[in-house]
Amino acid sequence: VQLQASGGGLVQTGGSLRVSCAASGRTFSNYGMGWFRQAPGKEREFVAAVTGSGTSTHYADSVKGRFTISRDNTKNTLYLQLDSLKPEDTAVYYCAASDPRASQKSYYYSHSYIYWGQGTLVTVSS
């Protein structure tokens, strides 16, 4: 699976942004998908995940209620809607496709993902 993230940019505190991840190469719906982020000087962290069918979602506590993950399997595209943005949300956001055998409880861990996109930078100004 090839993944191409896009949609990052500069936004003010309290603003919104939607990042996308276009997938190609395999049957998209076979894969649970996740978003991770990495801020400067920090380790990569889990943000959100969605099952292959799109019916179940998971979020990090830090973004719950502000971010929404979704997918359109007819367009082979994953989305992350970022609302009520804070300066601490500034990071490179990566999309990733999980091992099809992975359980939902493992979606929080980067080692459960076997394909990664190149990342898109989101900068939130204060």
Side-chain angles (χ1 to χ4, degrees):
V1 177
Q2 291 78 48
L3 301 173
Q4 180 74 38
S6 63
L10 175 65
V11 63
Q12 291 184 334
T13 297
S16 297
L17 202 63
R18 189 176 79 163
V19 293
S20 302
C21 176
S24 62
R26 297 281 178 106
T27 303
F28 184 57
S29 60
N30 285 349
Y31 298 86
M33 297 294 296
W35 286 99
F36 287 74
R37 67 185 182 186
Q38 188 167 19
K42 295 187 177 181
E43 294 187 352
R44 189 174 298 188
E45 64 175 1
F46 170 78
V47 175
V50 62
T51 54
S53 63
T55 54
S56 295
T57 57
H58 304 267
Y59 295 94
D61 288 344
S62 59
V63 307
K64 200 171 293 184
R66 300 189 299 120
F67 291 7
T68 304
I69 189 171
S70 62
R71 64 191 297 161
D72 185 339
N73 287 343
T74 67
K75 296 181 179 179
N76 289 352
T77 304
L78 174 73
Y79 303 100
L80 185 68
Q81 177 69 37
L82 298 80
D83 296 319
S84 302
L85 282 161
K86 305 175 181 179
E88 51 263 44
D89 295 318
T90 294
V92 177
Y93 283 72
Y94 298 90
C95 57
S98 73
D99 185 327
R101 300 165 296 179
S103 63
Q104 290 188 45
K105 61 183 179 182
S106 70
Y107 283 176
Y108 294 84
Y109 307 103
S110 59
H111 61 71
S112 298
Y113 295 82
I114 55 176
Y115 301 107
W116 291 82
Q118 86 292 356
T120 186
L121 176 63
V122 173
T123 303
V124 185
S125 64
S126 58

